Amino acid sequence: MNENGGIRVQVGEVGELSEIFQWKGEVEKGLPGWKEEEKVHLGEELSDVLLNVVRLSDVCGIDLGKAALRKLQLNAIKYPADIDYTNNYNIKKNRGANSNLPIV
């Protein structure tokens, strides 16, 4: 932290996390086929990113818990659970009032 209370954001940590997945393809729950040391390394990089995000939110005066809850509410509106997102035709057909929302 500098004399003004600011911090230098460690964006490189996100790159290090991304690097782990760069050649992994689709990742299955529980990471079957990953070596134990790979899982430990992943945990370390995830922790680095988490700690930087928590610190950055504090410095910026953002209530991270409140922001996350708001984002979940917005996503529930944007992406209703009763729509099949595997097919663009079904998304457009079933969106109704939400048809102006972007398809991702």
Side-chain angles (χ1 to χ4, degrees), residues 42-87:
L42 174 60
E44 291 169 353
E45 297 304 335
L46 284 167
S47 296
D48 285 342
V49 171
L50 174 65
L51 293 170
N52 275 281
V53 167
V54 169
R55 184 152 185 239
L56 179 60
S57 68
D58 179 57
V59 169
C60 294
I62 302 294
D63 181 333
L64 200 51
K66 188 175 179 180
L69 290 174
R70 180 176 185 278
K71 185 63 175 175
L72 286 172
Q73 292 169 339
L74 291 172
N75 283 347
I77 293 166
K78 190 173 181 180
Y79 307 107
D82 61 340
I83 293 178
D84 175 8
Y85 291 96
T86 61
N87 181 308

Side-chain angles (χ1 to χ4, degrees), residues 16-49:
E16 291 177 21
L17 177 60
S18 298
E19 210 172 79
I20 293 171
F21 293 99
Q22 186 171 5
W23 308 111
K24 291 288 187 184
E26 189 169 333
V27 178
E28 296 179 36
K29 185 173 182 153
L31 305 177
W34 285 48
K35 297 175 186 168
E36 187 58 31
E37 55 269 15
E38 290 177 306
K39 292 179 183 182
V40 169
H41 181 226
L42 174 60
E44 291 169 353
E45 297 304 335
L46 284 167
S47 296
D48 285 342
V49 171

